[in-house]
Amino acid sequence: MAASSSPYVTLISNDGFEFIVSRDAACVAGTVKKMLDPHSSFAESISGRCTLGTINGVVLEKVCEYLYYNLKHKDEKDVPDMEIPPELCLELLMAADYLHV
Amino acid sequence: MSKPVAITMAGRRAANNQIRGPQSALTDFLASNNISAAQISADYERRQREARRQQEQESTANGESIDQKDDEERVETAAQKKKRKRQQEKTLAKIKESKDYKRQKKRKDEGSDGENDDVAWDMYTRRKPLPGQLENCENCEKRFTVTAYSKTGPDGGLLCTKCSKEQEDQKKKDQKSKKQAVSRDKRRHVQSNLLDGIVQIGSRTLQELCIKEVANNIHEVEEFGDLPQSLLNRLSQILSRRRVITSRTLELFLRPDLETIDIYDCGKLETEDYIKIFSVVPKVQNLNLRNAGQFKDEVVDYIIERNVPLRILQLEAANLVSNGKWAEFFENCGLRLETLKLSWLDYSMDEDTFMCLIRHCPNIKRLKMKKCFRLGDVALGVMTELRQLEHVSLRFPTATTPGVLADLISSVGPGLRTLSLEGFSDADDDALSMIHSNCTQLSKLRFTENDCCTDVGFASLFINWSNPALAFIDFSSNRSVDYAVPDGPEDPVGLASGGFEALIRHSGSRLERLDISSCRHITYESFSRVFDGKQQYPVLKDINISFLTKIDTSIVAGMFRSCPELIKVTAFGCFNVTEVAVPKGVALIGVPNAQDAIVQEGEVDADVWNGLTM
């Protein structure tokens, strides 16, 4: 039960990379938020570990960067756009669609 | 023609001859002041000639000395020259002693038996003076003391203190102007977004960022992979807006498993490209092509031949499809059609063809005919047979008879959920009363650009109407257009206070979008009653009050309080709205002096962006 209240959660890519991010940041992504919802009693919500089988490490790293970027600029106006490397944009787009961010 | 000119020229030279050609104001002026243009030019040439002669003489006399002088470019006294030479020799000697020199010399000696002096000289010229030494400034040639702060000039030499400072200032200036340009561009971008009704709070979604990046690099993309339909649609919108949908980019959107294709700008596509759509995506059911100028008979032939299972078809400006081909299309594919939206057809689609449509498309539920130039009363008349219609949008460029429209409403009205009648300027109160008595399931109603219906007509439409509250109402430009009587007649024509208040009473609770622009007979009192800040319109999010000059700041402020879900207010030409504080997340468009910096209370609407784009 300790995991469900920890301020950090782990996101795991399909090639085994683990990203430990703050719960607030992780919940920017709608899909992850639902996974971690304490009322859902999903395995993820209990263990605090989300395995994202469709996303590889490189893309997930960028996603994590975005999660923090989003959190940082939450209430600001005229936020500068985050840099997206062109070679990643399509994969990242698929991941963003899956994660609802 | 050349002869008379010759005569005048000769005449002018002779001065006595009376034949004159046209002459300029300047020549006239000079002549009146006793100045001769010919004299001036002769003088000039003489001076030139003399200068040239003098130059030639000098060069022959001085021989090569001039060239030498040019090379040296500076005048030294004998003493200075001596001093310089001495210093030069001293430095050279020092260099010759240095380790670096020995090493370099060794290397050179190994290669060839070159002169040792060469190496030393090279090093002398290449060496940068150390702090404390004297040096000539690269820019102004002045002698100065080198310090640790001396800057390097554009050609690699050192600069004196003054030139260093100037260069630094210039650099700073450049940086500053660059920065300003960026911020100006950003401000323009924010304003442009505001016009689109987007108020950005927080960062964009990752999806939106990625889509933008994909659009920026569209020419490098080889395929989209299995992107979901919603993202394809968004990409199509962005690429269409940038006008980069070409034969090549179109291919990215074609995938055999797709059933929906939306291309918002087909301006650059050729006939073969349309055929390619159907050959690659044979199961397309929902097709939306705008600006489809090259969508020709051959394409329709292909659709018929391959039996493409189209259910939903939207075409804009497909003018090269002939009447006969349309008829053939309806005969063959009409049974399946559920939605047909055609716009900007000014050549084909005449009333006979339209009758063919009515006859062969019994399952059509959604019909939009806009700017089809050859449709009129007859089309309205035959449409009465389409009792299964649920959504109708019409805009005919030709005038129609009020009675025919009323008949249409009474026959198709009971099944309608959407009724959009734009620019039926001859329709009268009968049309409104027909809507009142026949339509009971409407959720979207548009009735615009009319100056025949009266305020009483609008009021009685809404009073005791059995139709549930509407979600979308567009009554823009319902007003009297008699400019001799700017305030309208005694009994108001168009949507005025009575109709407006009845509308709000009937639909206020579920209204999401309201457009009452240019309904200029609605009074100030009426607005202040409706938007008093206490009455709540819980789902109203988009309102257009453009050109309602009576509206002032307090009304808009009341509107912000009365509509908690508001995200977009369009208020062009509302000159009495000044310095209104705009709540967070609301886009107030068209008010130049609105202070968007002042953000009031109010929660951020996370879906602001999703709520209003396309």
Side-chain angles (χ1 to χ4, degrees):
Chain A
M1 279 318 279
S4 63
S5 57
S6 157
Y8 290 95
V9 296
T10 311
L11 305 180
I12 304 157
S13 71
N14 62 4
D15 44 2
F17 288 94
E18 300 195 359
F19 296 87
I20 299 168
V21 295
S22 80
R23 190 175 286 268
D24 290 346
C27 287
V28 169
T31 309
V32 179
K33 189 180 180 181
K34 278 181 191 152
M35 283 175 168
L36 295 172
D37 184 358
H39 306 293
S40 72
S41 74
F42 284 135
E44 285 89 350
S45 74
I46 296 161
S47 64
R49 292 169 65 84
C50 304
T51 308
L52 304 163
T54 53
I55 302 173
N56 67 34
V58 183
V59 175
L60 190 56
E61 185 184 357
K62 203 74 196 166
V63 169
C64 292
E65 188 188 329
Y66 174 81
L67 296 177
Y68 276 102
Y69 156 88
N70 182 296
L71 204 63
K72 185 182 162 201
H73 298 290
K74 208 174 166 190
D75 293 320
E76 290 172 34
K77 261 186 139 186
D78 309 340
V79 181
D81 283 353
M82 192 177 90
E83 286 288 317
I84 307 252
E87 65 277 10
L88 270 187
C89 59
L90 270 175
E91 278 181 275
L92 201 54
L93 181 54
M94 296 290 282
D97 180 57
Y98 171 70
L99 292 171
H100 288 278
V101 278
Chain B
M1 277 310 281
S2 64
K3 212 173 177 192
V5 174
I7 288 171
T8 52
M9 294 297 277
R12 210 180 288 171
R13 226 167 285 141
N16 294 329
N17 201 319
Q18 289 303 305
I19 306 168
R20 281 172 170 247
Q23 66 182 25
S24 73
L26 177 63
T27 315
D28 271 341
F29 171 78
L30 292 174
S32 69
N33 283 286
N34 235 355
I35 303 168
S36 154
Q39 182 66 41
I40 291 172
S41 82
D43 280 352
Y44 171 74
E45 267 168 32
R46 185 174 48 76
R47 277 200 305 276
Q48 289 268 308
R49 236 179 1 253
E50 275 173 12
R52 223 175 296 134
R53 207 182 313 129
Q54 206 176 345
Q55 214 171 23
E56 275 165 22
Q57 272 172 1
E58 267 175 32
S59 67
T60 48
N62 294 3
E64 286 171 22
S65 71
I66 286 180
D67 295 353
Q68 218 171 13
K69 215 175 183 180
D70 280 348
D71 266 3
E72 291 284 336
E73 266 199 338
R74 86 191 135 203
V75 192
E76 285 176 314
T77 63
Q80 273 179 332
K81 195 169 178 179
K82 226 180 193 172
K83 197 180 163 195
R84 189 168 61 83
K85 282 269 182 206
R86 210 173 44 232
Q87 232 167 20
Q88 196 173 311
E89 266 161 17
K90 224 161 83 187
T91 332
L92 276 173
K94 229 189 239 170
I95 291 172
K96 278 184 183 172
E97 273 171 26
S98 71
K99 277 183 191 169
D100 205 24
Y101 166 73
K102 280 172 187 157
R103 201 167 46 236
Q104 285 209 16
K105 189 178 163 233
K106 204 177 158 193
R107 204 182 307 143
K108 191 148 191 182
D109 284 348
E110 277 164 15
S112 70
D113 301 292
E115 305 96 298
N116 306 344
D117 280 352
D118 267 8
V119 178
W121 183 252
D122 275 358
M123 285 180 76
Y124 173 72
T125 47
R126 253 187 290 143
R127 231 172 102 265
K128 261 193 191 167
L130 294 165
Q133 279 182 321
L134 286 174
E135 173 71 349
N136 285 343
C137 172
E138 190 190 278
N139 279 5
C140 64
E141 303 269 298
K142 264 185 201 146
R143 203 85 174 135
F144 72 102
T145 314
V146 179
T147 69
Y149 304 105
S150 297
K151 300 288 174 203
T152 317
D155 293 332
L158 286 170
L159 298 177
C160 70
T161 326
K162 199 179 152 218
C163 292
S164 294
K165 195 165 174 287
E166 274 172 10
Q167 181 173 295
E168 283 303 293
D169 285 352
Q170 190 60 39
K171 248 187 213 166
K172 263 185 208 159
K173 222 178 180 178
D174 285 354
Q175 269 176 354
K176 211 174 176 185
S177 63
K178 214 176 186 180
K179 230 184 215 167
Q180 248 172 9
V182 167
S183 75
R184 199 177 302 134
D185 190 54
K186 196 175 159 195
R187 195 162 59 231
R188 198 190 65 83
H189 203 76
V190 170
Q191 288 301 319
S192 151
N193 272 342
L194 185 63
L195 282 178
D196 289 341
I198 303 165
V199 180
Q200 185 85 39
I201 292 169
S203 55
R204 291 164 183 276
T205 64
L206 185 56
Q207 284 183 33
E208 196 52 28
L209 288 173
C210 292
I211 287 182
K212 219 173 120 190
E213 194 60 40
V214 173
N216 287 341
N217 296 289
I218 191 66
H219 295 296
E220 267 104 71
V221 176
E222 274 166 17
E223 57 171 334
F224 285 151
D226 45 355
L227 280 186
Q229 187 61 49
S230 58
L231 295 182
L232 283 179
N233 188 27
R234 183 74 193 127
L235 266 170
S236 171
Q237 288 175 347
I238 293 177
L239 296 177
S240 296
R241 183 169 175 171
R242 296 185 187 180
R243 307 217 66 179
V244 290
I245 300 270
T246 58
S247 189
R248 199 196 85 80
T249 36
L250 173 72
E251 274 175 40
L252 299 172
F253 289 94
L254 304 181
R255 221 166 54 206
D257 60 311
L258 288 178
E259 294 186 345
T260 301
I261 289 178
D262 297 290
I263 304 288
Y264 296 89
D265 172 43
C266 302
K268 291 182 178 165
L269 300 186
E270 301 292 333
T271 313
E272 300 84 64
D273 298 322
Y274 296 108
I275 291 178
K276 194 167 64 192
I277 293 178
F278 300 108
S279 60
V280 178
V281 197
K283 294 200 200 82
V284 59
Q285 298 187 13
N286 181 351
L287 183 67
N288 176 6
L289 303 174
R290 315 275 180 92
N291 279 345
Q294 297 297 315
F295 195 97
K296 294 182 186 165
D297 278 0
E298 298 142 74
V299 186
V300 180
D301 276 336
Y302 195 88
I303 294 175
I304 297 168
E305 188 186 313
R306 296 298 168 100
N307 205 11
V308 180
L310 284 175
R311 288 188 302 116
I312 299 168
L313 178 64
Q314 177 162 13
L315 289 176
E316 185 190 66
N319 271 307
L320 295 178
V321 179
S322 63
N323 279 324
K325 203 50 77 179
W326 275 122
E328 210 180 316
F329 172 72
F330 293 134
E331 273 167 40
N332 288 285
C333 308
L335 209 59
R336 262 196 227 107
L337 274 188
E338 290 165 21
T339 296
L340 183 64
K341 299 180 180 178
L342 300 175
S343 49
W344 287 106
L345 296 179
D346 47 11
Y347 174 68
S348 56
M349 186 54 69
D350 60 8
E351 289 178 326
D352 288 341
T353 317
F354 191 77
M355 274 193 242
C356 220
L357 187 166
I358 304 293
R359 204 173 316 128
H360 295 290
C361 306
N363 298 314
I364 211 148
K365 293 201 173 61
R366 193 184 279 262
L367 185 63
K368 182 185 257 186
M369 289 282 164
K370 281 198 178 176
K371 303 276 175 87
C372 295
F373 280 62
R374 305 187 67 177
L375 299 183
D377 273 346
V378 179
L380 287 182
V382 292
M383 270 174 69
T384 51
E385 291 170 32
L386 293 175
R387 311 242 165 188
Q388 73 287 357
L389 277 179
E390 290 175 9
H391 308 271
V392 183
S393 299
L394 301 173
R395 181 184 193 112
F396 290 166
T398 46
T400 51
T401 321
V404 182
L405 182 67
D407 280 351
L408 173 66
I409 296 170
S410 70
S411 54
V412 301
L416 288 185
R417 295 168 194 280
T418 303
L419 177 60
S420 170
L421 302 170
E422 286 177 86
F424 283 85
S425 51
D426 298 313
D428 53 17
D429 284 349
D430 275 356
L432 295 179
S433 70
M434 280 300 164
I435 297 175
H436 176 93
S437 47
N438 290 291
C439 300
T440 52
Q441 308 185 50
L442 283 184
S443 68
K444 175 173 175 179
L445 176 60
R446 177 180 276 130
F447 187 85
T448 63
E449 290 164 59
N450 177 286
D451 58 340
C452 295
C453 295
T454 64
D455 189 35
V456 178
F458 280 106
S460 51
L461 165 64
F462 288 104
I463 293 168
N464 296 327
W465 190 12
S466 51
N467 197 79
L470 299 165
F472 180 111
I473 296 179
D474 177 2
F475 278 164
S476 56
S477 302
N478 282 303
R479 73 279 180 251
S480 143
V481 285
D482 184 358
Y483 292 108
V485 196
D487 291 334
E490 193 93 343
D491 296 322
V493 165
L495 183 72
S497 305
F500 177 57
E501 285 178 54
L503 177 164
I504 290 293
R505 267 197 299 279
H506 176 264
S507 296
S509 60
R510 286 175 60 188
L511 197 58
E512 290 170 28
R513 299 190 181 197
L514 175 65
D515 187 344
I516 47 168
S517 59
S518 300
C519 295
R520 56 201 174 90
H521 304 308
I522 306 174
T523 59
Y524 182 85
E525 291 70 32
S526 177
F527 282 123
S528 54
R529 273 195 295 275
V530 169
F531 298 113
D532 60 358
K534 288 182 197 110
Q535 287 191 59
Q536 294 286 300
Y537 308 104
V539 286
L540 190 56
K541 50 184 184 184
D542 182 359
I543 184 163
N544 188 343
I545 48 167
S546 296
F547 308 107
L548 298 175
T549 47
K550 287 164 191 148
I551 285 188
D552 67 1
T553 310
S554 64
I555 301 273
V556 175
M559 199 178 283
F560 290 146
R561 277 194 293 276
S562 285
C563 314
E565 292 295 309
L566 206 58
I567 44 179
K568 183 178 169 189
V569 178
T570 313
F572 288 102
C574 296
F575 299 113
N576 292 330
V577 180
T578 51
E579 301 191 342
V580 62
V582 183
K584 208 172 181 178
V586 175
L588 177 61
I589 301 166
V591 178
N593 39 13
Q595 297 187 337
D596 65 338
I598 301 176
V599 172
Q600 284 185 330
E601 79 294 343
E603 280 296 293
V604 188
D605 191 342
D607 275 340
V608 166
W609 188 83
N610 291 329
L612 276 175
T613 41
M614 301 216 197

